[in-house]
Amino acid sequence: MKLGGPRLHKFELKADNRPVANTSWQQRIWRAEQLAAKHPFAGEILGFYIHVARFQETLYHQLDRSNHGAAKSSAAEFRSAGVPRAVESASRRLPLQQEDVITNALLVHFPKFLSLVEANAPAPLAQVAHDLCVSNPNSWPNLFSECWTHTDPSTDPEEFLVLAFLQPYAELARVSLPVENSASRLCPFCSRKPALAILRQQGDGGRRSLLCGFCLTEWEFRRIVCPGCGQEDHAKLPVYTAESFPYIRVECCDTCQTYIKSIDLTKNGLAEPMVDELASIPLDLWAQERGYSKLRPNLLGM
Ligand SMILES: [Zn+2]
Ligand SMILES: [Zn+2]
């Protein structure tokens, strides 16, 4: 990775040492900087993440400005057919296909994103970005559409990159919709498997929710149920923690042999789930060495 080290933001700090961050991206970037300093083994990945997050934030605002309302109307279409959204969103085409303004905005920004990845990602991902950069731009709208509609977890690094690029668009499309309560194991908006779980304080215990890594929908989910296969038998759902990340639980399932990391905000209120999940690489290595596979890999395919 050709990483010169991410430029540190000058954050204005509040009394509890959290930054006065105006956006969720700035909060995540701040957290990534903190964790990179604390965990050198994750510095490379978090450095790359910071570049991506800055790009995503800029793209989000540009999409929002350049086509005010287009993404919202696309999102509204998700409901109009009267089909349960979990099914409908998985099968429908990428809304941007019908939205020339958004499509053009994405096409304009894609080369810039690929250059950023090529310059800052680990070598294999940088090579994929390079190959995409020199590919025919006429093929890109189809590529976007394929990645949008392919909701199963993928091992294809090209798909990871395209999803990271489309993430701000997915979030923009999603924010106009209130998320209905769902007991689904899949994201109620885009039908993907959750990237991680979050534990928040509720009464004397914690309640668990699941977070989609693509459109960032968060939905409540029962604590003692495998989000991979629905297993409810406590004995088949071992939970592990490690000293280095005492607030992150590795929640495994011995039935479907998957795991998901659960960020316990009752133990660490400073955590930014997406970022802390990315930083805790040793937990992935640990789980994968024991034969568990991750329910949904993150941006780096881990
Ligand atoms: Zn989603
Ligand atoms: Zn399971």
Side-chain angles (χ1 to χ4, degrees), residues 176-301:
S176 61
L177 283 176
V179 178
E180 290 157 15
N181 280 339
S182 167
S184 173
R185 302 202 297 266
L186 300 177
C187 169
F189 181 71
C190 77
S191 302
R192 286 173 171 80
K193 290 183 178 176
L196 56 93
I198 302 172
L199 289 173
R200 298 179 189 278
Q201 191 72 45
Q202 185 176 56
D204 292 337
R207 73 179 156 82
R208 182 168 75 156
S209 53
L210 303 175
L211 184 76
C212 174
F214 184 49
C215 70
L216 304 191
T217 296
E218 184 178 335
W219 70 103
E220 279 194 45
F221 196 74
R222 282 169 54 205
R223 278 192 72 160
I224 316 292
V225 178
C226 168
C229 69
Q231 176 59 259
E232 298 181 23
D233 182 350
H234 194 270
K236 295 191 171 107
L237 300 170
V239 174
Y240 303 94
T241 51
E243 255 175 48
S244 50
F245 293 94
Y247 60 98
I248 301 185
R249 295 152 51 95
V250 183
E251 300 181 339
C252 302
C253 174
D254 287 337
T255 301
C256 66
Q257 291 290 309
T258 63
Y259 75 96
I260 189 167
K261 283 191 261 178
S262 185
I263 316 299
D264 191 342
L265 296 180
T266 71
K267 291 189 174 157
N268 187 341
L270 289 177
E272 281 291 331
M274 292 279 285
V275 183
D276 289 73
E277 196 285 324
L278 210 54
S280 52
I281 311 158
L283 302 181
D284 291 293
L285 300 176
W286 184 91
Q288 288 164 17
E289 273 169 17
R290 277 152 190 81
Y292 296 108
S293 56
K294 200 174 200 174
L295 203 54
R296 174 108 200 159
N298 60 29
L299 165 69
L300 293 166

Side-chain angles (χ1 to χ4, degrees), residues 89-94 142-156 159-160 163 166 190-193 214 296:
S89 57
S91 58
R92 63 173 286 118
R93 293 174 66 76
L94 180 58
N142 269 344
L143 179 66
F144 296 165
S145 197
E146 278 166 23
C147 293
W148 181 279
T149 49
H150 182 245
T151 52
D152 289 336
S154 171
T155 52
D156 180 2
E159 188 169 323
F160 295 140
L163 289 180
L166 292 177
C190 77
S191 302
R192 286 173 171 80
K193 290 183 178 176
F214 184 49
R296 174 108 200 159

